[in-house]
Amino acid sequence: AALVMEGVLPLDYEYYLGFFLEMESTTKTTMATTLGDGETEDATTVTTKLISSSSPSSYFALTSRHVSHGVLPIAIASLLSGLAGAITQKSLQNQNRHALLFTMELCIASLLLLLLSFAFQSQDGMRIRQQGFFDEWTVFTLIPILTNSAGGILVGLVIKYAGTVRKGFALIFGILISGFLQGVLMGGGGVEEKAVHGV
């Protein structure tokens, strides 16, 4: 997913079909040219020759910036998310914590971090100090506030009674359903390729 979002790997069936067909033909060619006169080689040697003889750069243009600014941050974020989920599940299930109280504690911690960000001259903090906290608020602003509040309560209950893994699957399918519904309702019948990989 990180490579797709960074534009290294496209969402194109023919692209990968061509890559694997070329790899298959290169494998057969390499096997035929390296093994002769009854010689035998192990799989590691053949794979090394295959990689050196192929040209994956024509398919995968991965640079150091893609790794440092795309793949690595997403991998770290995924690791921290999984760790946080495991710790949350252990706290809720093994220590028999109350799910609603635990959700309130997380909200207080998030609020403190947001207030702390104001001290580091963030753009949002500067705008709030200049124009006020409720600037450009409308009645519709309450919709994401209420949905996020209900979502936080539901996430706590799901982790307590179903576990982090099931919560992760539910989140993935929820994102897929939301994407397809958005494409149907707003895009006129389908989801564009750019909308799928976030470009």
Side-chain angles (χ1 to χ4, degrees), residues 143-153:
I143 296 176
I145 294 175
L146 295 176
T147 54
N148 280 329
S149 302
I153 294 172

Side-chain angles (χ1 to χ4, degrees), residues 87-108 148-163 167:
I87 294 173
T88 302
Q89 181 175 346
K90 180 181 179 182
S91 177
L92 289 174
Q93 293 181 351
N94 296 351
Q95 300 177 7
N96 201 19
R97 297 283 306 279
H98 196 281
L100 299 179
L101 181 61
F102 188 81
T103 303
M104 291 176 61
E105 292 173 354
L106 290 180
C107 290
I108 292 174
N148 280 329
S149 302
I153 294 172
L154 290 175
V155 165
L157 293 173
V158 168
I159 291 177
K160 181 176 178 65
Y161 296 108
K167 189 268 295 182

Side-chain angles (χ1 to χ4, degrees), residues 54-129:
S54 61
S55 57
S57 60
S58 61
Y59 286 95
F60 308 116
L62 183 63
T63 63
S64 60
R65 182 172 177 83
H66 287 131
V67 175
S68 62
H69 290 71
V71 177
L72 187 60
I74 292 178
I76 294 175
S78 300
L79 177 65
L80 293 177
S81 176
L83 180 62
I87 294 173
T88 302
Q89 181 175 346
K90 180 181 179 182
S91 177
L92 289 174
Q93 293 181 351
N94 296 351
Q95 300 177 7
N96 201 19
R97 297 283 306 279
H98 196 281
L100 299 179
L101 181 61
F102 188 81
T103 303
M104 291 176 61
E105 292 173 354
L106 290 180
C107 290
I108 292 174
S110 300
L111 181 61
L112 292 176
L113 290 175
L114 286 174
L115 293 175
L116 185 63
S117 68
F118 292 165
F120 293 97
Q121 301 295 325
S122 65
Q123 294 182 354
D124 292 334
M126 293 177 61
R127 182 176 178 182
I128 289 175
R129 285 193 296 268

Side-chain angles (χ1 to χ4, degrees), residues 123-191:
Q123 294 182 354
D124 292 334
M126 293 177 61
R127 182 176 178 182
I128 289 175
R129 285 193 296 268
Q130 293 173 357
Q131 302 179 4
F133 183 78
F134 295 101
D135 181 55
E136 297 185 4
W137 275 47
T138 63
V139 178
F140 298 104
T141 310
L142 297 176
I143 296 176
I145 294 175
L146 295 176
T147 54
N148 280 329
S149 302
I153 294 172
L154 290 175
V155 165
L157 293 173
V158 168
I159 291 177
K160 181 176 178 65
Y161 296 108
T164 306
V165 176
R166 293 179 181 175
K167 189 268 295 182
F169 280 113
L171 178 64
I172 292 171
F173 286 115
I175 292 174
L176 288 174
I177 293 172
S178 299
F180 282 113
L181 287 178
Q182 182 179 0
V184 171
L185 297 177
M186 301 179 63
V191 181

